[in-house]
Amino acid sequence: MQRAVSVVARLGFRLQAFSPDLCRPLSFTQTKICGSDRVKLMESLVVGDIAELRPNQGTLSLFTNEAGGILDDLIVTNTSEGHLYVVSNAGCWEKDLALMQDKVRELQNQGRDVGLEVLDNALLALQGPTAAQVLQAGVADDLRKLPFMTSAVMEVFGVSGCRVTRCGYTGEDGVEISVPAAGAVHLATALLENPEVKLAGLAARDSLRLEAGLCLYGNDIDEHTTPVEGSLSWTLGKRRRAAMDFPGAKVIVPQLKGKVQRRRVGLMCEGAPMRAHSPILNMEGTMIGTVTSGCPSPSLKKNVAMGYVPFEYSRPGTKLMVEVRRKQQMAVVSKMPFVPTNYYTLK
């Protein structure tokens, strides 16, 4: 399957696009954390090592609670302009903002130098194998020098003040462009003038992120899931693990050394596609877990899914069954990503 270049645009929203399909909005919250104690604030809320980020480098991290549950996933970038740029899910807008604002007030009351600003920017996602080639026509910066999970502020097709980040939610090469709201429609229109670029709907985005093994908050991870259970242990910074100084560390860190009761796994099956809430059974027919996301894979021509099973059933190659439309069918635990990712790294 050709993975097309895609763009999405709408004021105040991110519309993800990958094929000529119905467009739907997918919102993200963009926040700026300022002040000399900005890293201290962020590290009091997330599991990642924010202090080690180089200028304009970003990382996926997690807000966690004291029980070790995931409150949201987010990307934190250490900008060269002296602030942290944070992108989180707008579906968690109220709790994320309250979490950060409460911590800002707490630190300010201690005399710390920290502040928070919510950005009134749109976020456009341009994804696909030739995304950088398409964007290069509208920027002076050399995008070959912008590897995965780094960003730079630049003028894009005549719109100044855009932050271009080499990342995305598809497993493909691509960028997300934070653009001042007043310039969003102009920029989206300019991108769509290239015949390579097509709009696409949420279902297309969802199939790509699932092929890449990427979690959807509220489906695959939530407040009752720890990073270790969610197979997201790699988000835990080594220094943070040793210091055990992030919310829920007393629950999460011991899980790294022992067995957890359940794990997020990939599943593949023939027949009818697995969907969220489909029961997962062992070969004796006993229900042992639940599918959290599932769909047909356009790239593999097979059905793929993610779900949670007890640790002893989490090894790749383990044969299980899933119940779809009240019928049981064979499934096998599979490594993720299902389709190899194509992120751009410097050679």
Side-chain angles (χ1 to χ4, degrees):
M1 172 188 170
Q2 175 90 21
R3 291 187 158 208
V5 180
S6 52
V7 71
V8 195
R10 180 167 174 168
L11 288 175
F13 293 94
R14 161 179 161 179
L15 296 177
Q16 192 95 34
F18 309 95
S19 67
D21 198 350
L22 179 65
C23 292
R24 294 181 61 187
L26 181 63
S27 303
F28 285 83
T29 303
Q30 301 177 69
T31 311
K32 180 190 293 187
I33 308 294
C34 307
S36 59
D37 291 309
R38 59 190 180 277
V39 172
K40 179 179 180 63
L41 178 140
M42 191 52 57
E43 288 198 346
S44 71
L45 300 174
V46 304
V47 302
D49 192 340
I50 308 305
E52 75 169 0
L53 293 175
R54 299 185 297 275
N56 292 322
Q57 182 186 16
T59 186
L60 177 72
S61 197
L62 307 169
F63 287 132
T64 48
N65 59 29
E66 291 300 335
I70 300 170
L71 296 172
D72 198 8
D73 56 334
L74 64 155
I75 293 178
V76 183
T77 299
N78 177 30
T79 75
S80 59
E81 293 79 34
H83 65 267
L84 298 178
Y85 169 59
V86 180
V87 180
S88 55
N89 292 300
C92 300
W93 154 265
E94 291 185 354
K95 70 175 181 180
D96 287 356
L97 190 58
L99 184 70
M100 291 187 284
Q101 288 177 330
D102 287 348
K103 184 58 68 171
V104 166
R105 285 191 287 267
E106 177 185 327
L107 292 181
Q108 287 177 341
N109 289 337
Q110 297 172 5
R112 300 287 186 175
D113 177 27
V114 67
L116 179 151
E117 176 187 349
V118 178
L119 300 177
D120 184 25
N121 281 15
L123 193 63
L124 312 187
L126 180 68
Q127 302 283 296
T130 59
Q133 178 184 332
V134 168
L135 188 64
Q136 189 65 72
V139 302
D141 298 60
D142 186 353
L143 296 178
R144 292 175 298 180
K145 298 179 180 179
L146 192 72
F148 181 61
M149 293 306 293
T150 64
S151 74
V153 175
M154 62 187 74
E155 181 177 298
V156 184
F157 286 101
V159 181
S160 60
C162 296
R163 177 170 292 281
V164 177
T165 304
R166 197 75 171 254
C167 69
Y169 194 41
T170 64
E172 285 293 334
D173 187 20
V175 297
E176 293 185 348
I177 308 169
S178 177
V179 52
V185 171
H186 169 82
L187 178 53
T189 301
L191 290 169
L192 287 166
E193 287 178 355
N194 189 315
E196 285 280 309
V197 180
K198 306 294 182 184
L199 289 174
L202 188 57
R205 185 293 312 269
D206 201 51
S207 67
L208 290 173
R209 70 94 186 167
L210 189 48
E211 288 181 342
L214 302 176
C215 293
L216 175 63
Y217 189 81
N219 280 44
D220 309 304
I221 51 176
D222 57 27
E223 295 183 19
H224 305 291
T225 307
T226 71
V228 181
E229 291 173 332
S231 300
L232 295 170
S233 301
W234 59 270
T235 63
L236 306 173
K238 291 182 180 180
R239 174 178 61 84
R240 309 300 308 282
R241 299 182 191 193
M244 294 185 65
D245 59 352
F246 55 85
K250 291 182 180 179
V251 175
I252 297 168
V253 172
Q255 289 183 343
L256 294 168
K257 302 175 182 179
K259 291 183 178 179
V260 290
Q261 290 188 337
R262 61 177 190 147
R263 273 197 183 275
R264 178 174 65 93
V265 298
L267 297 166
M268 296 184 69
C269 80
E270 306 287 347
M274 300 168 281
R275 299 294 187 183
H277 311 301
S278 294
I280 303 173
L281 305 92
N282 62 19
M283 295 304 292
E284 288 69 47
T286 302
M287 182 176 172
I288 58 170
T290 306
V291 171
T292 54
S293 291
C295 71
S297 165
S299 301
L300 300 176
K301 309 301 181 186
K302 296 180 180 180
N303 301 316
V304 298
M306 292 190 289
Y308 284 83
V309 298
F311 182 83
E312 58 267 29
Y313 293 96
S314 64
R315 182 183 294 274
T318 301
K319 293 182 179 180
L320 299 171
M321 293 188 292
V322 291
E323 186 175 303
V324 181
R325 301 171 187 169
R326 299 182 181 181
K327 294 182 179 180
Q328 295 180 3
Q329 57 192 50
M330 293 293 299
V332 61
V333 175
S334 305
K335 291 183 178 180
M336 293 185 287
F338 299 103
V339 176
T341 56
N342 192 33
Y343 302 129
Y344 175 73
T345 56
L346 295 178
K347 306 304 182 190

